[in-house]
Structure formats: structure tokens, C-alpha cells
Amino acid sequence: MSRPALEAIDVHRTYQLEGVSVEALRGVTLRVDPGEFVAVIGPSGSGKSTLMHLLGCLDRPTSGTLRVDGRDVSELSDAELAALRNQTIGFVFQAFHLLPRTTAVENVALPLVYRGVGRAERRRRAVEALQAVGLGHRLTHRPTQMSGGEQQRVAIARALVGEPRVLLADEPTGNLDTRTGEEVMGILERLNAERGVAVVLVTHEMDVAGRARRIIRIRDGLVESDSVPAGAARDGGVDGGAGEREARS
Ligand SMILES: Nc1ncnc2c1ncn2[C@@H]1O[C@H](COP(=O)(O)OP(=O)(O)OP(=O)(O)O)[C@@H](O)[C@H]1O
Ligand SMILES: [Mg+2]
């Protein structure tokens, strides 16, 4: 059995806000294996983004154990945690988080700066990542000169450029129209199928979640269910969504 890419054991996260504590996660246990495609769903405020931030090493649990690529994050300094994140995880936010006055290539190359990759190599890999998401013709555009779907694809390219084992995406289609959301989903599915990148995505759209091979349902800071959606267990699936996936690839 391969080592889990991500593993949470009885993870709690409590926020302190003006003297009041909010228990955003109240004991979450789950693992994500290499190459999985998982959707995380649940009501607003149930703790999905909090969980993604923890899994993505952007935050630490209040208690419980979190392992990323087999390493217990509580044993790492902030700098070590940042390095582990940089090497293992790509993060795609709903609101893109791109630098607005910086070209697509430079936005995508940025994570490689922190790894000490040389300038020419950074550019080569950034161009390659942009081509992989169908943006080879938008290399020098700035985010302000791009559509929402294009910006989201730049954000995916940036998450990919370091060749992460896991891609975490928090509502990657939430700000996009249906057709553009479809394109972004197609890219995530292709990365998963062709490169074996594990994908964990938060969504509130059931047709998006239905395309995952596993659905984790969060409610009130707990995992309410963790299951394989109907149609996903069989090759190619049985529902319309899975059929589309086949048609596109
Ligand atoms: N930085 C913070 N400080 C205090 N409370 C927070 C903070 N971030 C989140 N919370 C609270 O923690 C709970 C979980 O928030 P979280 O953002 O994880 O929910 P979510 O499931 O992602 O919701 P949505 O679907 O609306 O994005 C909420 O009650 C929220 O108000
Ligand atoms: Mg959220």
C-alpha cells in the first residue's frame, strides 16, 4: 500500500474571534492517496475551506495529527512547512490570487523562485504549464487583461508548475459560467488521469462533485460521509457527466 499523500487524524481547528471560539473542525479523520480524485461538499460554514487550508499547509491544526507526504506537520518549523508545501502541493483558490500587474508567465513562475530555480528554467517550465492548460497564446497577458476562465487556468498552471503530487482546489469553478467551469474541470481531470496528480476539490455544484471518484461530505466541522458516487465505480461511469468526460479526453 502506498503512503497517503495527505492524512488527517482527529484534526480540530478552533478560531478565536473577539473572545469567542469557533470550532470550525471538530475531529476530522481522512486520507487522500496518490492519484485520487476527491470532491469535498457541504453547507456554507461547515469547514470545507478550513480543511483545505490545513491539508494545504497554509494553516496548522489546533489539535490532532496532520501528515503531508508522510511528515507530521507539527514537527516542522514554519520554514520547513512552507518548503514541504512548495514541493508537494498546488493550491487553486476560488478568487485566483494572481498578481494583477504581472504577466501570466511571471505569475506561474513565481513558486519556482522560492525553490531557487534559475530564470531561464523558470520561464521554460512556466510556458509549459501554461500550454498544458491551453494558454500558450496568452503568455504575456496580465490577469486584468484576461477572462475569469483564463485567470483560473493561470492559477491552475501556477499550482502545477512545481509538479505537485496533490492539487487542492477550493471552488475552482465557483466564479465561472457553466461552459468555462466545464473547461476547468476537464483540465483537472486530465491532469489527474495523465499525470496522476491527486485532486481534492471543494464544490457546491453536484454535477461537478458527481464527476469525482469519491465524495467527502462535511457538516458542522465533521466528516458526515465519505463515499463513491453512483456511476463512478464503473469504468467510464453510467451518468451523463462521466460520459462527457470520456468524450472530451
Ligand atoms: N479566520 C477565521 N476566524 C474566525 N472564524 C473563522 C475564520 N475562518 C473561518 N471561520 C469560521 O469557521 C467556520 C468554517 O468556515 P469555512 O470557511 O471553513 O467554511 P466553508 O465550509 O468553506 O464555507 P463556504 O462554503 O461558505 O466557503 C465558519 O463558521 C466560519 O465563520
Ligand atoms: Mg469555503
Side-chain angles (χ1 to χ4, degrees), residues 98-104 107 141-147 151:
L98 299 172
L99 301 176
R101 281 180 291 279
T102 303
T103 64
N107 264 289
H141 281 237
R142 297 164 207 283
T144 50
Q145 301 164 330
M146 294 179 143
S147 72
Q151 290 179 57

Side-chain angles (χ1 to χ4, degrees), residues 9 22 45 92 101 108 124 142-143 149 163 166 187 197 207 219 225 231 240:
I9 302 164
V22 179
V92 180
R101 281 180 291 279
V108 171
R124 192 188 65 72
R142 297 164 207 283
E163 301 187 339
V166 185
I187 288 168
V197 180
D207 55 333
R219 180 179 293 273
S225 67

Side-chain angles (χ1 to χ4, degrees), residues 44-45 47-50 53 94 170-171 202:
S44 180
K48 304 181 298 296
S49 293
T50 301
H53 284 109
Q94 177 172 7
D170 197 348
E171 301 205 35
V202 172

Side-chain angles (χ1 to χ4, degrees), residues 132-207:
V133 298
L135 283 180
H137 60 307
R138 289 283 183 273
L139 300 178
T140 56
H141 281 237
R142 297 164 207 283
T144 50
Q145 301 164 330
M146 294 179 143
S147 72
E150 287 173 337
Q151 290 179 57
Q152 189 58 296
R153 284 188 279 158
V154 173
I156 292 172
R158 182 187 51 191
L160 274 184
V161 76
E163 301 187 339
R165 300 181 69 210
V166 185
L167 201 73
L168 301 175
D170 197 348
E171 301 205 35
T173 62
N175 273 331
L176 306 176
D177 62 69
T178 309
R179 193 181 60 81
T180 315
E182 272 291 308
E183 284 171 19
V184 165
M185 275 303 288
I187 288 168
L188 295 177
E189 285 172 345
R190 217 176 54 233
L191 292 170
N192 176 254
E194 291 174 7
R195 301 193 189 187
V197 180
V199 174
V200 183
L201 73 93
V202 172
T203 183
H204 57 261
E205 295 160 81
M206 273 320 290
D207 55 333

